Amino acid sequence: PPTTAVDAPPAAPPPGGHLSPDALEMLGKVLLEVMSIQLLGFLLKRSGAVTPVTEAGIGHYVAVIGFPCVLFRALSELQPAAGILPLMLVIGSAKALVFGAAYLIGSRSASRAGGAPGEP
């Protein structure tokens, strides 16, 4: 039998699963943060503080640095659970299928236009 908190088995998830009060509270906090950032961006753009050049720079930063960092952090904090491997395989397969279809469509439309794939 476990004698300390370190030796104790992990606690079972609360009843209600993903709809537990703690999960809903966390979701509410995240939604409030996201909507606050969107409102701030809207107000800054509306006031003229954010120019189209600034907007393009922020968009580039978010696409190249910010979002990949957030995604990497979320994946690194993911707790392995039974059944996550099939989910990862399904997601990977779907991404590969979409990439392959996009590549085929792009290469066919480029060959009809007379250029090589990737050329403007």
Side-chain angles (χ1 to χ4, degrees):
T3 57
T4 65
V6 175
D7 297 332
H18 296 295
L19 296 178
S20 69
D22 290 337
L24 291 176
E25 183 180 344
M26 259 179 40
L27 178 63
K29 286 180 181 179
V30 169
L31 287 175
L32 182 63
E33 289 174 11
V34 168
M35 293 182 78
S36 299
I37 292 170
Q38 289 176 335
L39 179 64
L40 178 65
F42 171 77
L43 293 174
L44 288 173
K45 187 169 180 179
R46 180 89 177 199
S47 69
V50 175
T51 65
V53 174
T54 308
E55 185 179 355
I58 292 171
H60 182 72
Y61 168 79
V62 167
V64 174
I65 297 172
F67 183 70
C69 288
V70 169
L71 186 60
F72 179 78
R73 181 177 178 199
L75 288 175
S76 69
E77 293 176 352
L78 189 64
Q79 298 295 323
I84 198 161
L85 182 60
L87 176 65
M88 298 294 272
L89 290 174
V90 167
I91 291 172
S93 300
K95 288 183 177 218
L97 181 68
V98 168
F99 175 79
Y103 183 80
L104 284 174
I105 291 170
S107 63
R108 285 191 176 188
S109 62
S111 65
R112 287 185 184 161
E119 285 186 2

